[in-house]
Amino acid sequence: MSPSAPFDPSWGYFTCDLEITTACGVGCAICPRESIRRPVGCMDEAIFRTIADKLIASGAQITLSGMGDPLAHPAWESCIRYVRDREGCLGIQVSAASIDPGTTARLVAVRPSFINLSVPSIHPPVMARILTQRDPGDLIAAAEGLIEACRNRVPVTIIGTRTALEQAEGMEEEFVRFWKERGASARIFPCHSRGGNLHDTDLLTRAASPGLTSPCGLFARHAFIAWEGDLLACCHDLAGETRIGNLACEELADLAARKAQLARAVPPFDLCHRCDEALRLLPLPEGTPPRGRRARARYFRAIRWDQSPGSSGI
C-alpha cells in the first residue's frame, strides 16, 4: 500500500495494550522504568469500564500490559471479569517473577482470553542478569506451574527476549522447543532500546537505529492506552509526548481517524527518530480488520510478522 493511500481507521485498535497501572516490583533490567516522566498511578475502575466498552464494541484484542505489572492493580480480577462477561477478547501479560501458586489459581479462575508470560531466557546466567533479585530455577518452576494450571483452560504463550548476552545460532529454536515440551507455545523478541530509553549495550541486540523512514506498520495496527486513558503512540513513550487524545472522554471513532492520519506520516512523532523496534517496518495494513477470535487467529497465522528484520512475532 502506498504511504499516502487511506486505510480503514479501525486497524488502529486491531490489537491494544491497556495499561491499568504503572506500579511494578519486578525490577527487570530490560525495562527502562527509571526513565518514566509521565504521571504514575492506577486506572480508576470507572475509566476502565468506559474504555473497555468502546474497545469491546470495536472488536479489539485487548492485553492488560504497559509500564507496570497488571497484577499490581488492586482490581485486576474485576477488570478481566468485566470484559470477559461481555464476551470481549482480553488477555494479560505478566512476568514469571510475579507468579506464585496463589496468583496462578486466581488467574485461572477469572479466565482471561490468553496469558502472555514473560520469561526472558531459559539459561540461568542470562536470567540472573536480567532479573537480578530472582532465582532462575524459581522462575522456570513458576512458569511450569502456570502452564499446568492453565492446561485446557487458558492459552499460555511464553514471551522470551533475545539479548546481546545470547546470540548463538539456534537459540530461538531451543527456546521454543523447551516450552513446547512443557505444553506452551513460545515466541522470542529481540531486545531493542524501547524508544531510546534503554542504553545497556549488554542487552541491546542492534546498533542505534536511524529512526523511522517509512510509515510505522505497528502504530497503524496497535494502540497503547496509558492508565489515565490517554492514547499514546506506543508504550515506549515514557513522557506522554505523543498524546493523541483520551479514550475516557472522546469517541473512539474520532481518535481512530486521527490515528490513521498520523500513521501515514513519516515519522508521526519525534519519538520515532529514536525507535529501533523491528515491527515498525511492517507495511501499512490493507482491507478491513478481521473481527472475532477465529478470524483474528487466521490473520495472525497468515501475516508475515518476520517481514521486519530480527522480528519473531507481534
Side-chain angles (χ1 to χ4, degrees), residues 2 69-70 72 92 94 98 106 110-111 114 117 126 138 174 179 181 186 201 211 219-220 233 238 254 261 295 314:
S2 166
D69 178 1
I92 185 171
V94 295
S98 297
R106 292 164 65 189
V110 295
R111 300 290 290 270
F114 56 87
L117 184 67
V126 177
D138 290 345
E174 178 190 13
W179 292 110
E181 291 170 353
T201 55
F219 175 62
L238 305 187
D254 294 337
Q261 183 176 8
I314 187 171

Side-chain angles (χ1 to χ4, degrees), residues 225-249:
I225 303 166
W227 69 273
E228 293 177 301
D230 286 342
L231 175 64
L232 304 179
C234 66
C235 63
H236 311 314
D237 180 3
L238 305 187
E241 63 189 83
T242 66
R243 186 180 184 276
I244 300 167
N246 188 289
L247 265 75
C249 55

Side-chain angles (χ1 to χ4, degrees), residues 104 107-108 115 145-156:
T104 291
L107 274 169
V108 174
I115 298 173
L146 180 69
I147 292 167
E148 183 58 35
C150 290
R151 197 179 305 277
N152 300 321
R153 294 180 177 88
V154 181
V156 176

Side-chain angles (χ1 to χ4, degrees), residues 177-194:
R177 183 170 58 253
F178 180 92
W179 292 110
K180 183 177 181 180
E181 291 170 353
R182 287 155 178 77
S185 61
R187 292 178 291 178
I188 192 163
F189 296 84
C191 183
H192 56 88
S193 72
R194 308 292 193 256

Side-chain angles (χ1 to χ4, degrees), residues 6-86:
F7 64 92
D8 190 326
S10 60
W11 274 110
Y13 298 90
F14 180 57
T15 60
C16 177
D17 282 352
L18 184 55
E19 177 189 75
I20 57 174
T21 182
T22 53
C24 185
V26 172
C28 182
I30 58 176
C31 176
R33 289 186 49 77
E34 70 283 355
S35 298
I36 297 177
R37 299 183 300 283
R38 56 183 173 83
V40 297
C42 285
M43 182 174 283
D44 180 83
E45 284 191 75
I47 290 178
F48 175 86
R49 290 191 292 271
T50 296
I51 293 173
D53 287 343
K54 296 176 182 180
L55 294 174
I56 293 168
S58 78
Q61 175 181 287
I62 309 166
T63 305
L64 298 185
S65 178
M67 287 307 297
D69 178 1
L71 299 178
H73 192 290
W76 65 266
E77 289 160 292
S78 297
C79 291
I80 294 175
R81 286 196 184 96
Y82 183 85
V83 176
R84 298 296 287 139
D85 287 348
R86 286 154 182 79

